[in-house]
Amino acid sequence: MAFISVENLKTGYETEKGIVQAVDDVSFSLENGESIGIAGESACGKSTLGLSIMRIVPDVSITSGDITLEGKSILKMPKSEFAKNVRWKDVSMVFQGAMNSLDPVFTVEEQFVEVLKQHRYDGDYKQKISEIVNSVGLTQDVLKKYPHELSGGMKQRIVIAMALLLKPKFVIADEPTTALDVLVQAQIINLLKKMKKEGMSIMLITHDLAIISEVAEKIGIMYAGKMIEFGSAAEIYKNPKHPYTQALLKSIPRLRGDKVTNYIKGNPPSLMHPPQGCRFYDRCPQAMEKCKKDVPKFKTDSGYVSCWLYE
Amino acid sequence: MNEILLVQNLTKHFAKKGIFSSSGTVVKAVDDVSFSLKKGEVLVLAGESGSGKSTTARLILRAIEPDSGRIVFDGIEIGNDNKSLEKIRMQCQMIHQDPYASINPRMKISDIIMEPLEIHKIGTKEERKKMVLDALHEVKLEPAEDVFNKFPHMLSGGQRQRVVLARALVLKPKLIIADEPVSMLDVSIRAEVLELMRELQQKHDISYIYITHDLSTARYLGQNISIMYLGKIVESGPIDEVLLHPRHPYTQALLDAISEPEPDNLLKEKKIRINEPLDIDVYQGCRFRARCPYAIEKCNEEPPLEQTGQDRLAACFVKLD
């Protein structure tokens, strides 16, 4: 039985001009102890995928598909039950832009207490909070401070600590290192590694494939709402199949070796009226006539790829 | 004359004062910094937040007044007289980090790029229009005639950053100071903006000061690098040599922190050769010593920035090999 599995998930936002299909038929699954990295450009739907798993998008947005955690559907249960038993207890999230997701008028401690109260925690609040603050490498004196008194890296740790407070099994981290200094970034990566050792599964959402390589066993590459390739980290880094994955890997500036990097020309298509067939068609160097037809998923060694080249 | 910019002993201290207390502490944002930049050269200023990189940039443009030190731009010493200020503010342009904040959302792209021409009273209305279109072609925002009448919200992050670049280019600058120009952009389009910057540099012989904390993009664009820590340059030299054989422990720590897309990373802890940051700024002796794993007794004295090889300088008593 898979630990978590997402099947044919579709999430769209209704706007005045029509529906923006941010997540379009996305599937993946993880075994126990595995973590996943979701990579893709801005507006490819990677954050919406995270929000859908947390069920903090409007209910009507998720039009089809299923999400199961340890064999139990967490999408089909009533929202109240999800809020009571799953959200923050089994699945939690570190939101993008930690700097801004803390409330400026409350001390850090008050914000921790709020989470515990909300979930009717019946142990010793003080002890619980001090434990969790230690585990992310902060000292107790941060608890009495207001967010503006802390540096970006400290705030990021606090937001992570908050997500860990109720010992969830699955933590979604949305761009946890973006906008931080490199040294602080490295500390956050080590913190994520430590969480994994303690038995947590992580879903790391980022546009930076270099950071994913530090924590994820599995990788899903998203493009214009679709997950176009999914597989083990080893396979994706060593033998990327989809031309988009290949291009994405080539665009990363490296510290050693070749200086020449390539970039992907053009822009991704609008998610309001996406084109028929492969969505990467206009930017793909290997596009063929066939690519105008909708692409099924073709099996690879460790996952799948949506590209006619691997028919 | 080969040098476009010469910075000597530049110093800027800020007084940090509490609202209620009269005594404050001093933040030495830039402390005795010297460097020079040749025509057509790209110099990278690297370091963490608070290392004084951006303050240095603002001092060069005289957005803030230096406490002491000399800045010579294109043979003219920059002082407070109108003539030298006008020169540096016209021929030295700045690109800021966040393309969502650095252009006015209520102005059309054409007006954004035309504004510097109006300020410096260059050309007639018709000529200005042509110059704006040329700049748009130059940064490859095509079709330029369409982009001309658009508003910023209609453009993506990468396109906005190219508008910022066009606005800098329209005055035909000799030096562009780019403060983290790609850190807000997606990895996939970073290379595109950097490539464009490099093309323009070669075509127009523009010099750049590229400010960043990301050493992997630094290597892509730069020829020389200066690493800053708490207001001081701690190491400088040709970029490939500094990055492949760092002499200062701080440079080494910055390099340790970078992740490369390798699946083997998964199995190992990320080792950064640095002690936990103590949040106290040390201004006596070597400023890095509290975090330095190699610190020795002698580090209580201030290490001078000394030559350690061909074109290479480092301020460290230990000096790594």
Side-chain angles (χ1 to χ4, degrees), chain A residues 62-128:
Chain A
I62 304 178
T63 45
S64 72
D66 199 8
I67 302 167
T68 54
L69 183 73
E70 295 180 317
K72 208 165 112 200
S73 172
I74 54 172
L75 194 59
K76 301 224 164 92
M77 67 171 63
K79 207 160 190 176
S80 57
E81 192 189 337
F82 182 87
K84 202 171 150 204
N85 296 328
V86 181
R87 188 184 296 140
W88 236 249
K89 282 190 178 161
D90 285 340
V91 183
S92 71
M93 185 159 180
V94 180
F95 294 98
Q96 188 169 10
M99 331 273 172
N100 314 320
S101 58
L102 290 168
D103 194 325
V105 297
F106 292 102
T107 62
V108 170
E109 187 168 24
E110 285 164 336
Q111 302 191 43
F112 273 111
V113 169
E114 194 187 345
V115 178
L116 291 173
K117 265 194 189 149
Q118 191 72 38
H119 288 274
R120 306 214 169 76
Y121 180 75
D122 51 7
D124 183 357
Y125 282 15
K126 271 232 155 68
Q127 196 196 339
K128 180 83 194 161

Side-chain angles (χ1 to χ4, degrees), chain A:
Chain A
M1 186 181 66
F3 167 65
I4 187 163
S5 97
V6 173
E7 279 157 53
N8 308 101
L9 187 73
K10 275 191 172 199
T11 307
Y13 298 108
E14 222 169 295
T15 67
E16 276 173 18
K17 289 178 193 157
I19 290 171
V20 175
Q21 200 68 50
V23 173
D24 196 353
D25 201 12
V26 165
S27 304
F28 69 86
S29 72
L30 293 179
E31 296 305 315
N32 273 325
E34 279 184 339
S35 291
I36 186 171
I38 305 284
E41 288 168 274
S42 310
C44 69
K46 51 192 196 305
S47 293
T48 302
L49 176 61
L51 297 174
S52 303
I53 296 174
M54 282 291 278
R55 288 186 68 180
I56 34 191
V57 289
D59 268 346
V60 288
S61 296
I62 304 178
T63 45
S64 72
D66 199 8
I67 302 167
T68 54
L69 183 73
E70 295 180 317
K72 208 165 112 200
S73 172
I74 54 172
L75 194 59
K76 301 224 164 92
M77 67 171 63
K79 207 160 190 176
S80 57
E81 192 189 337
F82 182 87
K84 202 171 150 204
N85 296 328
V86 181
R87 188 184 296 140
W88 236 249
K89 282 190 178 161
D90 285 340
V91 183
S92 71
M93 185 159 180
V94 180
F95 294 98
Q96 188 169 10
M99 331 273 172
N100 314 320
S101 58
L102 290 168
D103 194 325
V105 297
F106 292 102
T107 62
V108 170
E109 187 168 24
E110 285 164 336
Q111 302 191 43
F112 273 111
V113 169
E114 194 187 345
V115 178
L116 291 173
K117 265 194 189 149
Q118 191 72 38
H119 288 274
R120 306 214 169 76
Y121 180 75
D122 51 7
D124 183 357
Y125 282 15
K126 271 232 155 68
Q127 196 196 339
K128 180 83 194 161
I129 294 168
S130 80
E131 256 173 45
I132 212 83
V133 167
N134 281 338
S135 77
V136 296
L138 291 171
T139 50
Q140 300 299 317
D141 47 322
V142 295
L143 289 174
K144 297 273 170 265
K145 291 191 174 162
Y146 288 90
H148 75 267
E149 297 176 275
L150 306 170
S151 69
M154 288 161 103
K155 279 189 250 181
Q156 189 68 49
R157 281 167 196 240
I158 285 170
V159 180
I160 292 176
M162 229 169 246
L164 302 183
L165 202 53
L166 299 175
K167 291 233 173 305
K169 301 168 191 146
F170 190 62
V171 179
I172 303 167
D174 194 355
E175 304 271 13
T177 59
T178 314
L180 296 176
D181 267 334
V182 270
L183 287 172
V184 184
Q185 249 180 39
Q187 289 167 349
I188 299 290
I189 289 170
N190 275 339
L191 177 59
L192 295 176
K193 283 182 185 244
K194 189 177 146 222
M195 284 158 54
K196 275 189 64 178
K197 263 197 202 131
E198 286 162 7
M200 240 166 262
S201 277
I202 298 170
M203 175 164 145
L204 181 62
I205 301 173
T206 173
H207 61 258
D208 191 346
L209 273 165
I211 285 165
I212 287 181
S213 76
E214 300 274 357
V215 285
E217 282 88 8
K218 289 278 167 70
I219 294 177
I221 307 284
M222 286 190 69
Y223 184 76
K226 297 259 186 201
M227 190 171 278
I228 48 120
E229 188 167 357
F230 169 73
S232 72
E235 192 179 8
I236 297 229
Y237 287 115
K238 296 252 164 70
N239 184 16
K241 299 247 169 10
H242 200 287
Y244 179 66
T245 314
Q246 291 168 1
L248 206 56
L249 277 167
K250 274 192 201 142
S251 71
I252 303 173
R254 304 284 183 118
L255 200 54
R256 294 171 190 89
D258 217 357
K259 249 192 198 185
V260 190
T261 37
N262 294 294
Y263 54 88
I264 310 166
K265 293 196 177 72
N267 291 309
S270 152
L271 295 178
M272 193 105 66
H273 304 288
Q276 274 277 306
C278 176
R279 296 186 176 179
F280 192 52
Y281 181 75
D282 340 334
R283 300 169 83 186
C284 182
Q286 297 178 65
M288 338 175 257
E289 197 50 44
K290 205 169 188 181
C291 301
K292 286 181 186 160
K293 281 197 286 176
D294 271 340
V295 206
K297 295 178 173 113
F298 298 108
K299 257 186 96 62
T300 60
D301 291 348
S302 59
Y304 63 81
V305 59
S306 288
C307 178
W308 282 113
L309 288 171
Y310 303 95
E311 195 180 351

Side-chain angles (χ1 to χ4, degrees), chain A residues 42 181 190 193 213 255 257, chain B residues 49 186 219 260 265 268 270:
Chain A
S42 310
D181 267 334
N190 275 339
K193 283 182 185 244
S213 76
L255 200 54
Chain B
S49 325
D186 263 351
R219 182 169 168 262
E260 302 240 358
N265 289 345
K268 50 191 185 214
K270 213 164 166 44

Side-chain angles (χ1 to χ4, degrees), chain B residues 113 130-144 162-163 165-173 176 192-193 195-206 208:
Chain B
I113 302 175
K130 193 179 168 293
M131 280 189 253
V132 171
L133 283 172
D134 286 347
L136 284 171
H137 286 302
E138 200 92 76
V139 298
K140 300 191 179 132
L141 275 173
E142 302 289 357
R162 282 189 275 170
V163 170
L165 196 56
R167 176 173 66 183
L169 279 175
V170 78
L171 287 169
K172 309 238 173 319
I176 292 181
E192 186 178 4
V193 173
E195 179 70 36
L196 178 66
M197 285 173 65
R198 185 152 69 180
E199 252 179 63
L200 294 169
Q201 176 226 345
Q202 282 160 0
K203 198 165 152 200
H204 300 290
D205 210 20
I206 301 172
Y208 285 103

